[in-house]
Amino acid sequence: VAKREDRRGDDRGVYIISVAAELAGVHPQTLRIYERKGLLNPSRTAGNTRRYSERDIERLEAIHRLTQDLGINLAGVKMIVELEAELERLRKRMEAMARELERARRTASERVRSREITDIIPLSAIPRFPWEVGS
Amino acid sequence: VAKREDRRGDDRGVYIISVAAELAGVHPQTLRIYERKGLLNPSRTAGNTRRYSERDIERLEAIHRLTQDLGINLAGVKMIVELEAELERLRKRMEAMARELERARRTASERVRSREITDIIPLSAIPRFPWEVGS
DNA sequence: TTGCTCCTCACGTCACGTGAGGTGGC
DNA sequence: TTGCTCCTCACGTCACGTGAGGTGGC
């Protein structure tokens, strides 16, 4: 049997509002309020019924922590969610850049150590005759 | 005469509460509330009177925008201020890393382009005679 | 038919800003 | 003395969660 955890981050709408509310421990009406405030955007069935995804539930739990544990109102939650998304993006970019830097440094020393650089050496750096090397 | 703008970011406490409130366009009592919530930390005189700095005023205006224009409550403002500080730190680190990367790349090509690398080239890469170059 | 959904409206609670009231030090 | 500060308490407003009430589709 597939467990709920296996679908972590899944975007497919699978839960009706009553189940989603129960999973997140909130009132179904609360979910409608969150949606109106632009905090949540569950998909809809052809019959206009909301369908919440696993990702929606996670988001819901995060919102619930911010409002209940920290006493932050919905306007604040909205901005916080946006800021955290930006932080996440920035962290990813920074990780990529760190790898890039690591690679650039490795390349710099390896190109010198290996033969790869011979074809980039300026011609003037190549001595015509062995006895000219020391000049 | 030194203008207020010249002291932007200044940390010295210079304004008493009534002046600070007027500059930020809020009620003096509001400043005391912000302080109790941990959003602001003006210095105090020996006589226990609050003294607000230019930086405090800027912070105050930022808080005022978040609460009045966006309707965010103080718990939210507190977290947002912290998140923005973290974003700022991350951006600074990223800028430094970008410069680092630029430098690493420049170094890599310059070492190759200049004569600096000639003493690191493996001897085997240097042709004994001109007619051996093509081999 | 039953149990869900959809929506709107109303009430209770709480946070926050404003103000009053009484105090004390430059 | 005057005008500021300090603090606490109380009231008005508003946001949000909870719930009721009436509707319609699987």
Side-chain angles (χ1 to χ4, degrees):
Chain A
V1 186
K3 292 213 187 119
R4 231 192 100 201
E5 287 75 25
D6 299 338
R7 292 196 298 278
R8 183 175 296 275
D10 203 318
D11 267 332
R12 289 172 300 180
V14 289
Y15 307 117
I16 61 175
I17 193 168
S18 57
V19 175
E22 193 180 358
L23 286 175
V26 299
H27 194 284
Q29 192 64 12
T30 302
L31 301 200
R32 299 193 180 97
I33 294 176
Y34 286 178
E35 186 172 353
R36 179 149 30 159
K37 295 272 181 170
L39 291 174
L40 214 57
N41 219 25
S43 55
R44 298 266 187 159
T45 64
N48 204 31
T49 302
R50 294 175 180 82
R51 282 296 151 86
Y52 294 84
S53 69
E54 198 59 44
R55 189 188 294 270
D56 286 331
I57 304 294
E58 290 165 21
R59 200 177 169 86
L60 208 40
E61 286 165 347
I63 296 172
H64 195 234
R65 269 191 301 275
L66 290 174
T67 56
Q68 298 308 303
D69 299 351
L70 301 178
I72 296 170
N73 67 0
L74 300 188
V77 169
K78 190 166 187 189
M79 183 157 186
I80 286 166
V81 166
E82 286 166 8
L83 281 175
E84 278 178 342
E86 186 160 347
L87 262 175
E88 193 55 34
R89 252 178 289 141
L90 215 57
R91 286 214 181 91
K92 281 229 165 60
R93 268 186 61 196
M94 189 134 114
E95 259 180 49
M97 199 178 260
R99 280 193 301 272
E100 195 88 6
L101 183 58
E102 173 63 20
R103 209 167 58 86
R105 281 181 170 148
R106 200 198 313 277
T107 304
S109 47
E110 277 187 5
R111 280 168 78 188
V112 169
R113 209 176 302 113
S114 74
R115 291 249 195 159
E116 289 170 35
I117 45 102
T118 53
D119 59 339
I120 323 179
I121 294 179
L123 278 180
S124 61
I126 302 178
R128 300 287 162 146
F129 297 96
W131 53 85
E132 288 180 9
V133 172
S135 73
Chain B
V1 185
K3 290 211 187 122
R4 230 191 102 202
E5 287 76 24
D6 298 337
R7 289 196 298 278
R8 182 176 298 275
D10 204 316
D11 267 334
R12 287 172 301 178
V14 288
Y15 307 116
I16 61 174
I17 193 167
S18 57
V19 176
E22 193 181 358
L23 285 175
V26 300
H27 195 283
Q29 192 62 14
T30 304
L31 301 199
R32 299 192 181 100
I33 294 176
Y34 287 178
E35 186 173 350
R36 180 148 30 160
K37 296 272 182 172
L39 290 174
L40 213 58
N41 220 26
S43 55
R44 299 266 186 158
T45 65
N48 205 32
T49 302
R50 294 173 179 83
R51 282 296 151 86
Y52 293 84
S53 69
E54 199 59 45
R55 188 188 295 271
D56 285 331
I57 305 294
E58 291 165 21
R59 200 178 170 88
L60 209 39
E61 285 165 347
I63 295 172
H64 196 233
R65 271 192 301 277
L66 289 173
T67 55
Q68 298 308 303
D69 300 352
L70 301 178
I72 296 171
N73 67 1
L74 300 188
V77 169
K78 189 165 188 189
M79 183 157 184
I80 286 167
V81 166
E82 287 166 8
L83 282 175
E84 279 178 341
E86 186 160 348
L87 263 175
E88 193 54 35
R89 252 178 290 140
L90 214 56
R91 287 211 181 92
K92 281 232 165 60
R93 267 185 63 193
M94 192 133 112
E95 260 180 49
M97 200 179 257
R99 281 193 302 272
E100 195 89 7
L101 183 58
E102 174 62 21
R103 209 166 59 84
R105 281 182 173 147
R106 199 198 313 278
T107 303
S109 49
E110 275 189 4
R111 281 168 79 186
V112 168
R113 209 177 301 113
S114 73
R115 291 256 191 154
E116 290 171 34
I117 44 104
T118 53
D119 58 340
I120 324 181
I121 296 179
L123 278 180
S124 61
I126 302 176
R128 299 289 161 141
F129 297 97
W131 54 83
E132 286 180 9
V133 171
S135 71

